[in-house]
Amino acid sequence: MSNAAFLEDWNSVVPFKIKGADLEKPTEQFVYKAILNIFRLIHYDVSSYEGMYSESTETLIVKRVEFVARINYIYQLCSDSKQTSFFYVDLVKPTTKKIIHLLKILLNYLFYINMVKETILEKANSCTEKYFDLNAKLNQEQIAKEENKIRVSNLNRHIDDLKHQLPHLKEQVDILQQQKHTIEEKISKLKTSDQELMDKIVELKLEHTELTDRIVPIEEAVELKDSKNSLEHELELLTDNEQELQKTYKIHVTSINEMKPCIALLEKMLQYEYDDICKFPHNELSELKVQCEKMRKDHANLESVFNTLLENEHAVEIELEEKQRELAAHNIGANKIEDKNDSQVKYKEKYLTALVETNDTLVEILQALQRDVQRIIHMCEKALKIVDTTFIE
């Protein structure tokens, strides 16, 4: 390798730059800095030699000797000839030929380390990754083995427990089978009773429809009540008129009875002859007779009116009694029909409500029994699966 090529390669890799003049007339400081920089690049520990020229002379001599020994070791290790050596004088008084040969050997060694580093590190990294992957898999397999051991131990304990529980489970299965048959019989009975209740509900709905059709309309009942009230009012008016007429008749009868002795006395007096002194009473008597006759006529008229009123009252009473009987009969029939319809409707509605509530209760009981049956069947199947799995294993 020519010196120019060497300089180019060196300056492209090593931070400490060198020139051709440095190689022609090398110095101790030049050799020291060049070798120190290249030792750093090959990851050689040179921390103890970095400040050796600032120390005492004795320490400097010792450090020089150690530094020369390390250079000589690397120089012989990398050189083709084992007879090449680097001495103390080569550091203190370096020569061009020896320094160029040493630096070329160290640079080639650096290139070799970098090349090996690239290939070996890649392989090492892949091997390290494989190692960590295999180690992780190994740990996972170890963990899985431990878990399997624990699982197998738990399964064995569970199998032992199931073996001990097997007779009890068989007894429970038999008991549950019996309960299942009992519940199925109850369900069958409840279905039958539910169907009967549904039939009764249909019949009651039909009866309710018929009774609803037979109910007297409200308008007709209102008209009957109004006619009843008008007849009762008319009867009250006629009763009041009758009482007034009876009072008037009693007054006239009393007046006539009081006048009868006077009339008889006057008639007796008329049978005698009177003188002129008695003419005036005679005239008055005539007037009284006229008035008496008038009163008799009035009395006769009043009696005929009274009799007519009595007849009318009697006819009205008869007609009123007939109307009352008709109204009472109609009201009784209507009230009976209405009360009967209302009572029957209320009874049917109550009975229908009770049947619906009973039906709902029976449906809830039926659903609860079905859930219990399903739960019992599920428990039986689960227990049988556990038993079968245990024996198969």
Side-chain angles (χ1 to χ4, degrees):
M1 180 187 296
S2 64
N3 291 337
F6 167 72
L7 289 173
E8 185 179 357
D9 291 339
W10 178 277
N11 290 328
S12 65
V13 176
V14 182
F16 179 70
K17 308 302 179 182
I18 60 177
K19 300 177 183 179
D22 296 329
L23 295 176
E24 291 176 358
K25 294 181 180 181
T27 62
E28 182 182 356
Q29 288 296 323
F30 169 74
V31 175
Y32 166 74
K33 291 180 181 180
I35 293 173
L36 199 67
N37 275 275
I38 203 166
F39 274 6
R40 287 196 189 102
L41 292 175
I42 63 177
H43 301 286
Y44 199 82
D45 188 11
V46 291
S47 60
S48 60
Y49 309 114
E50 288 179 351
M52 68 180 187
Y53 285 99
S54 63
E55 296 178 0
S56 63
T57 305
E58 295 178 357
T59 307
L60 177 60
I61 294 171
V62 173
K63 293 284 183 72
R64 280 174 176 172
V65 172
E66 291 178 358
F67 190 57
V68 168
R70 291 182 182 274
I71 294 171
N72 185 52
Y73 174 75
I74 298 296
Y75 187 41
Q76 290 182 352
L77 182 66
C78 299
S79 178
D80 295 335
S81 176
K82 298 297 181 182
Q83 296 178 356
T84 57
S85 299
F86 188 82
F87 300 105
Y88 183 84
V89 70
D90 294 328
L91 176 63
V92 178
K93 294 181 179 182
T95 60
T96 302
K97 184 178 180 181
K98 191 71 171 279
I99 295 303
I100 290 173
H101 186 264
L102 174 64
L103 293 179
K104 286 182 178 181
I105 292 296
L106 293 177
L107 183 62
N108 288 330
Y109 183 63
L110 177 62
F111 285 150
Y112 173 75
I113 287 174
N114 291 333
M115 180 188 67
V116 171
K117 187 187 296 183
E118 290 177 359
T119 57
I120 291 176
L121 282 177
E122 184 178 356
K123 293 179 179 179
N125 290 329
S126 63
C127 291
T128 304
E129 291 177 359
K130 289 181 180 179
Y131 169 76
F132 285 118
D133 292 338
L134 292 173
N135 194 16
K137 290 180 180 180
L138 183 63
N139 291 330
Q140 290 178 356
E141 289 179 357
Q142 190 67 27
I143 293 170
K145 286 181 180 179
E146 295 295 332
E147 291 178 353
N148 289 329
K149 288 181 181 179
I150 295 170
R151 191 179 295 110
V152 169
S153 179
N154 293 329
L155 286 173
N156 290 329
R157 286 198 300 271
H158 187 60
I159 289 169
D160 293 334
D161 294 336
L162 289 175
K163 286 181 180 179
H164 292 297
Q165 293 178 3
L166 185 60
H168 181 64
L169 289 173
K170 288 183 178 179
E171 292 178 359
Q172 286 185 350
V173 168
D174 295 335
I175 293 170
L176 291 174
Q177 289 290 342
Q178 293 177 359
Q179 290 180 356
K180 177 184 175 182
H181 292 306
T182 305
I183 290 171
E184 287 178 350
E185 292 177 356
K186 289 182 179 179
I187 290 171
S188 178
K189 292 180 181 178
L190 288 173
K191 286 182 179 179
T192 304
S193 61
D194 182 60
Q195 186 62 37
E196 293 177 355
L197 288 173
M198 292 300 294
D199 295 337
K200 288 183 180 179
I201 289 171
V202 173
E203 293 177 359
L204 288 172
K205 285 183 179 178
L206 294 174
E207 291 181 2
H208 181 269
T209 304
E210 293 177 357
L211 292 172
T212 304
D213 295 336
R214 292 172 58 186
I215 293 174
V216 177
I218 297 174
E219 294 80 2
E220 185 177 353
V222 171
E223 291 178 359
L224 291 173
K225 288 182 179 179
D226 292 337
S227 61
K228 175 184 176 182
N229 293 329
S230 62
L231 289 173
E232 289 178 350
H233 181 67
E234 186 178 356
L235 178 62
E236 290 177 355
L237 293 176
L238 291 174
T239 304
D240 294 336
N241 292 329
E242 180 186 2
Q243 290 177 356
E244 292 293 331
L245 289 173
Q246 287 179 355
K247 289 179 181 180
T248 305
Y249 175 74
K250 287 180 181 179
I251 292 170
H252 286 289
V253 169
T254 303
S255 300
I256 291 170
N257 291 329
E258 290 177 353
M259 293 175 67
K260 279 183 180 180
C262 296
I263 292 170
L265 180 60
L266 289 172
E267 288 178 352
K268 187 175 180 180
M269 289 174 66
L270 290 173
Q271 294 177 1
Y272 299 96
E273 293 179 356
Y274 298 95
D275 52 8
D276 295 333
I277 298 171
C278 294
K279 286 182 180 179
F280 183 72
H282 182 72
N283 293 329
E284 290 181 354
L285 181 60
S286 300
E287 291 178 359
L288 288 172
K289 285 182 178 181
V290 172
Q291 291 179 0
C292 182
E293 187 64 27
K294 185 178 179 180
M295 291 180 70
R296 284 179 180 175
K297 290 180 180 179
D298 292 338
H299 179 265
N301 291 329
L302 288 172
E303 284 184 347
S304 83
V305 172
F306 181 72
N307 292 327
T308 302
L309 289 173
L310 288 176
E311 291 176 358
N312 291 333
E313 181 184 1
H314 184 67
V316 169
E317 287 179 353
I318 293 170
E319 183 178 0
L320 183 60
E321 288 177 358
E322 290 178 357
K323 293 292 183 181
Q324 285 179 346
R325 284 195 297 272
E326 291 177 0
L327 182 60
H330 191 275
N331 287 335
I332 290 169
N335 292 330
K336 285 182 179 179
I337 292 171
E338 186 176 359
D339 295 338
K340 184 177 179 181
N341 291 336
D342 291 339
S343 62
Q344 287 181 353
V345 170
K346 290 179 180 178
Y347 173 75
K348 297 297 184 182
E349 288 178 351
K350 289 181 180 179
Y351 188 58
L352 180 61
T353 303
L355 287 175
V356 172
E357 291 177 354
T358 305
N359 183 40
D360 294 338
T361 304
L362 291 174
V363 170
E364 291 177 357
I365 294 171
L366 180 61
Q367 292 176 353
L369 290 173
Q370 287 177 349
R371 289 195 295 270
D372 292 337
V373 168
Q374 293 296 328
R375 183 174 59 82
I376 290 167
I377 292 170
H378 181 68
M379 289 174 63
C380 292
E381 291 176 352
K382 187 176 180 181
L384 290 173
K385 285 181 180 179
I386 292 171
V387 172
D388 293 338
T389 305
T390 305
F391 280 114
I392 289 170
E393 292 179 355

